[in-house]
Amino acid sequence: MSGNRLKTKLDLMDFTEALQLRMDEMAAACTQCGKCFEACPMVDPIGLANEDPRLVLAGIVEQLRGGEGSAASEKWAAACSGSGYCISACDYAVNPRSMLKLANYARVVREVGDQVRKNAIAAFRGMAQSLRTVSRLQLTSAQLAALEDPGPLASNEPADITLYTGCNLYKSPHILVLVLEVLRHMDVTCRLVGGPSACCGINQFRAGDGESSGRAGLSTLKKIEKQDSREKISWCPSCQSQFEDVIIPNLNKIEPENNFQLEMFFVWLERRLDQLIPLFKYRVEKRVALNERPGYPRVMTAVKKILSSIPGVEVVELDVPRVGLMSNYLSVTPNFKTYLRDTEFHAAAEAKVTTLATVFHACHREICEFDGVYSFEIINVMEIIGESMGLHADDIYKLLKVHNSADELLEYCSDLIAEHGLDASEAFAILTKEQAAKKPLQGKILEDASFSPGRYGAVNADG
C-alpha cells in the first residue's frame, strides 16, 4: 500500500460519513437516463417492465438522498441480483450496481431505524451457525484446522499470495481442498484469511448496519494486508463485490493514499497458465459447459481459457440467459430462478455435454443435487482442473443433500456429529434451511405474482 498501513483503530463515524458522501456523489452524478434499468434482467420478473426508466432512476436518486423514492425504485434496488449488465450500459462512469446497493442500504436504514444493529447481529450469527454446522458435517477437527491454516512457510520470505476465502466456501470444502492442492503443486506459497472471524461485512450491510459492516470489512482488509504477501487474491464474488462496491471505496474516502486491491482467484490463475499447463498430465475426456455468472465476466473468460488448456476438454457455449452474481442472489424471484436453471439444464442436454461445471461455491451447492439426474454430471471447475493433475477431493456436501431426515443424517455422519458435539436434529434443520433459504434480501420474495416463465418460452428439461 505504498508504505501506508490501514488504521489500527477504525473511525467508524468516518466510515458511515464516507457512505453518505458516496451516496451524495452518486445522486449528483446520475443523469437518470434509465439505461441501466433497461439493461437489467430483473425488471420483468419483478413486474416493472412497464415502468418509466427515468422515473425509476429518479426514485433511486431520492433514496440515496434519504427519501422514500418510489415503490418501483425500492423494489428494483432490493431485487438487484448483481449481474452487472448495468455497469457497461452507463455512459457516465456511475456504477449502477454499487448505486443500487447503496440505495437499498439507505432504504433499510430509514425503514428499520434502531433495529438495524439487532438485525445485523442476527444475520451474522445465523450465517456463522450455518457455516459452523455444515462444515463440521463434512470435516474432522484436524481437517478443518488444516484448511484454516496451511502451516508455517519454509522461509521468512513473504508468501506468494494471501487467499481470502470468504466464509461460505467452507460449506463446500472439497473446492478449497483442491484450490490449495493446485497451489501446492504449482509451488505457490499461500496464506489463508477467511471464515466468520474475517467477514467482508455483507450481512451487516444488508441489514442496514453501516458501522458494523465497516468494522468487519476494514478489519478483514487489515488482516489480509498483515500477511504481507506479494499478491492478494479472493475467491468469493459476493465478498469481492462487497469490498469493491462498499468497503474499499469508503476506505479511499477515509484514506486517499490507500491503494488496496484484490484480484479474483481464477483471473490470477489464468495469468499463471504457463506455470499451470505443464501440470496437466492426464487427459480429461469431457465436453464441458459452464454454469456461468455474468457479474465478473473476466472470471468466466479466465475459467474457459484454463479449461481449454486441459488435454481432452472441450468447452461448449450454451445460448442461455445469464443472470446473477451467484445463484442465491436470485432467490427473491424463485420462478425466474427455476426457469433459468431448467433452461440451462435443457440446453446442456441438447448440446450433449458430459459435464455442467459450476464456478462458484453457492451455485454449486444449489444445483449439485441434480448430478446424475440428467445426461450430464454436475461438478465444480476445480474438480476438472484437479483431475487433470491427478488430484481428487470428495464432494461431501453433494452427498449430504440426499439425506431426508435427522436419522439418515445421523447414520451417515455419526462420527463427525459425535466428534463436534452436534445435535443431529438441529444439524438437519440447519442443513435443510440452508438448502432452501429464501435470501439474500431479508427473506422477501419480490417476484411479480403474475410472472410466468412462459413469457420466455416453454422449457422441457427432461434431458
Side-chain angles (χ1 to χ4, degrees):
M1 295 181 62
S2 303
N4 180 43
R5 292 287 178 177
L6 297 178
K7 293 182 178 180
T8 56
K9 293 184 179 180
L10 305 176
D11 186 339
L12 297 178
M13 287 305 294
D14 280 351
F15 189 86
T16 54
E17 287 170 1
L19 273 175
Q20 187 57 58
L21 178 59
R22 290 185 58 226
M23 287 190 283
D24 291 342
E25 290 174 347
M26 283 188 169
C30 178
T31 65
Q32 303 170 38
C33 67
K35 288 184 178 179
C36 55
F37 182 83
E38 293 169 349
C40 178
M42 301 299 288
V43 166
D44 189 17
I46 61 174
L48 299 182
N50 296 323
E51 296 289 333
D52 185 330
R54 289 178 172 81
L55 293 180
V56 176
L57 266 297
I60 294 294
V61 168
E62 183 63 23
Q63 286 180 238
L64 292 170
R65 290 172 172 159
E68 293 188 8
S70 65
S73 67
E74 290 187 355
K75 190 174 187 180
W76 185 45
C80 176
S81 63
S83 300
Y85 296 119
C86 55
I87 298 173
S88 57
C90 181
D91 295 328
Y92 301 95
V94 177
N95 184 324
R97 184 166 67 189
S98 297
M99 183 172 68
L100 291 190
K101 187 177 290 187
L102 293 173
N104 192 59
Y105 163 81
R107 175 192 64 81
V108 174
V109 170
R110 177 176 52 81
E111 290 183 354
V112 179
D114 294 339
Q115 293 295 308
V116 294
R117 180 63 53 84
K118 179 180 178 181
N119 292 349
I121 291 172
F124 177 79
R125 286 179 176 172
M127 178 277 296
Q129 182 186 30
S130 177
L131 170 61
R132 181 182 183 277
T133 299
V134 174
S135 63
R136 280 160 176 75
L137 289 172
Q138 302 176 69
L139 299 175
T140 66
S141 297
Q143 290 169 329
L144 280 169
L147 289 185
E148 292 168 358
D149 183 0
L153 300 178
S155 71
N156 293 325
E157 291 292 317
D160 294 318
I161 66 171
T162 292
L163 175 62
Y164 177 66
T165 64
C167 293
N168 286 317
L169 178 56
Y170 286 90
K171 292 178 181 176
S172 309
H174 80 292
I175 298 175
L176 181 54
V177 167
L178 289 168
V179 167
L180 296 179
E181 279 297 298
V182 167
L183 293 175
R184 185 174 68 82
H185 279 68
M186 293 173 68
D187 291 324
V188 173
T189 56
C190 175
R191 300 280 74 186
L192 288 180
V193 175
S197 64
C199 176
C200 68
I202 192 169
N203 289 291
Q204 299 90 324
F205 188 79
R206 286 171 176 161
D209 188 349
E211 290 190 7
S212 294
S213 178
R215 179 185 297 110
L218 293 175
S219 174
T220 294
L221 293 188
K222 181 183 173 184
K223 289 179 180 179
I224 295 171
E225 185 200 28
K226 188 178 179 180
Q227 303 301 316
D228 199 26
S229 299
R230 296 183 179 90
E231 296 182 276
K232 304 172 182 68
I233 312 301
S234 69
W235 169 272
C236 175
S238 285
C239 296
Q240 184 79 10
S241 176
Q242 176 69 5
F243 283 129
E244 288 184 350
D245 293 342
V246 179
I247 304 298
I248 293 176
N250 277 27
L251 176 61
N252 293 340
K253 294 293 184 186
I254 299 168
E255 299 181 20
E257 304 85 4
N258 149 71
N259 63 351
F260 196 100
Q261 293 182 343
L262 281 170
E263 184 175 35
M264 294 203 72
F265 173 77
F266 284 111
V267 177
W268 175 88
L269 194 62
E270 187 265 333
R271 287 200 292 108
R272 300 292 187 278
L273 195 52
D274 289 344
Q275 186 179 352
L276 189 61
I277 286 177
L279 301 175
F280 295 153
K281 297 180 179 180
Y282 301 93
R283 288 187 63 84
V284 180
E285 301 293 347
K286 294 184 187 294
R287 183 173 163 86
V288 180
L290 282 189
N291 174 241
E292 290 190 49
R293 296 295 160 189
Y296 284 101
R298 182 69 184 84
V299 172
M300 300 301 138
T301 300
V303 169
K304 291 176 185 178
K305 186 173 181 181
I306 293 167
L307 291 181
S308 296
S309 301
I310 297 174
V313 170
E314 178 187 1
V315 177
V316 178
E317 298 285 348
L318 300 182
D319 184 15
V320 296
R322 303 297 190 185
V323 184
L325 192 64
M326 288 195 289
S327 60
N328 56 330
Y329 277 66
L330 294 163
S331 294
V332 295
T333 52
N335 291 334
F336 185 47
K337 180 179 179 180
T338 299
Y339 161 76
L340 292 171
R341 184 195 69 201
D342 290 350
T343 299
E344 181 176 62
F345 286 175
H346 178 69
E350 286 289 306
K352 298 186 179 342
V353 303
T354 63
T355 306
L356 180 62
T358 60
V359 178
F360 298 124
H361 52 287
C363 303
H364 186 75
R365 294 200 312 272
E366 292 213 351
I367 68 169
C368 67
E369 66 184 294
F370 293 97
D371 184 29
V373 174
Y374 298 92
S375 56
F376 48 84
E377 63 180 352
I378 299 176
I379 59 177
N380 186 258
V381 165
M382 288 307 305
E383 296 178 69
I384 302 173
I385 296 172
E387 184 177 348
S388 72
M389 297 169 64
L391 305 173
H392 174 77
D394 290 332
D395 184 357
I396 305 300
Y397 187 89
K398 182 187 295 184
L399 299 177
L400 289 178
K401 293 194 77 170
V402 304
H403 297 288
N404 298 313
S405 70
D407 289 339
E408 285 186 14
L409 189 67
L410 177 59
E411 183 177 355
Y412 182 73
C413 302
S414 57
D415 291 347
L416 290 173
I417 288 173
E419 177 181 346
H420 295 297
L422 303 176
D423 179 277
S425 296
E426 291 180 3
F428 179 74
I430 289 171
L431 185 64
T432 302
K433 182 178 180 182
E434 199 271 335
Q435 292 169 359
K438 297 287 190 270
K439 59 180 189 177
L441 301 166
Q442 320 301 317
K444 295 179 180 178
I445 300 301
L446 301 175
E447 197 161 47
D448 178 15
S450 64
F451 171 78
S452 170
R455 298 179 194 173
Y456 294 84
V459 174
N460 178 1
D462 289 343

